[in-house]
Amino acid sequence: MYIKSIVLSITIFLLVSGQLFAEEQMKKAIYGLPLDAFVFKGRSPEEIARYLKDCGVEAVVHVPLDHALIEALHHNGIKAYAAIGIFCRDDNWKALAESRPLLADGSFSETGVCAANEWFVNSKIEEVKAIARDYQIDGLWLDFIRWPTTWEVKEPKLLYTCFCNNCLELFQRDTGIKLPKTLKITQEISDWIYKNHPQEWFRFRCNIIIDTVKKLKAAVKEYRKDAIIGIFVVPWRESDFDNAIYKVIGQDIAGLSSVVDVFSPMSYHLLCHKDPDWIISVTAWLKTKTNKDIWPIIQAIDEPQKMSAIEFERALRTAMTGGSRGVMVFDAK
């Protein structure tokens, strides 16, 4: 599906652009640029950029950090957006054990990084600064800018985090709420918080995510004042899983809209066991919550089952409705 998805997505861009994009300007983007694909392999940066331009592609999100390529894209009127994962580097547990999120029952998460870990956040800020300083990017998309949970399945595994000592100290400092000294184990502490101060806890965790986005945005703006900031969001609405997007993963969409320019719901309908029309509802919900540009990203991979060209086209078309102002195609391989 790797090569086929690239060719298919570009072909459909051409098929629909005259009919749908003429009504309202919509950004046609691809996620990633696999330079080893046969359509690009052996071509110069200028040839690659001209090919994309001829196909109607207007932006590359998660562009390869290559000076010549980015220059060629710009020369052909194509925007170049970098992308970076934030709280997804679980390999950092080896170097910094305290970055591993602690679940409500006292066990450790098998994925993600504690979003309140100051050392880790600062390392990401420096990484973002280096990208913005060294490359002529038009903006930056933030991925995994949330607390951990597994969501690309029919029944998500909701992870209730993080109850490490650092998070508990910050929670008490920021809210003025004092944990009873009689509470000794993590399960007792988490039970007490969810019973007595759930809303303060949810707000505290969301504020950490929003504050991190602000810091990363400032790092980009230090070198690229006109750069835009986009984020990839889990495709959940308030009605999904008891508002888990707010309570569990800490993505306060309304709050994030004060610092984010573009929201990209990861509307992978097959992975989430949904019909393509579901993409519209996710886009429309985000639009009402943010009034910002929404660029859905849809899957072009045969997971967990094979996707026909007809179904892919349907997904792409639905991603252009519901208030969308752009669309991206994602191939995981």
Side-chain angles (χ1 to χ4, degrees), residues 146-149 156-160 202 205-206 234 236-252:
R146 58 180 176 83
W147 298 87
T149 243
K157 182 179 181 181
L158 303 181
L159 303 179
Y160 298 91
F202 302 147
R205 297 170 75 257
C206 286
V234 173
W236 293 345
R237 300 149 297 181
E238 288 167 314
S239 57
D240 296 318
F241 313 109
D242 189 29
N243 200 15
I245 190 169
Y246 179 85
K247 295 179 179 179
V248 178
I249 67 173
Q251 287 187 332
D252 174 12

Side-chain angles (χ1 to χ4, degrees), residues 107-127:
S107 64
F108 285 104
S109 171
E110 294 300 322
T111 184
V113 173
C114 173
N117 188 281
E118 185 177 7
W119 176 90
F120 188 82
V121 171
N122 287 337
S123 71
K124 285 296 177 181
I125 291 172
E126 292 306 312
E127 192 174 343

Side-chain angles (χ1 to χ4, degrees), residues 86-93 99-101 109-115 120 144 146-149 159:
I86 305 302
F87 298 118
C88 54
R89 295 291 301 278
D90 49 26
D91 57 336
N92 282 276
W93 299 342
S99 68
R100 188 172 185 178
S109 171
E110 294 300 322
T111 184
V113 173
C114 173
F120 188 82
F144 214 114
R146 58 180 176 83
W147 298 87
T149 243
L159 303 179

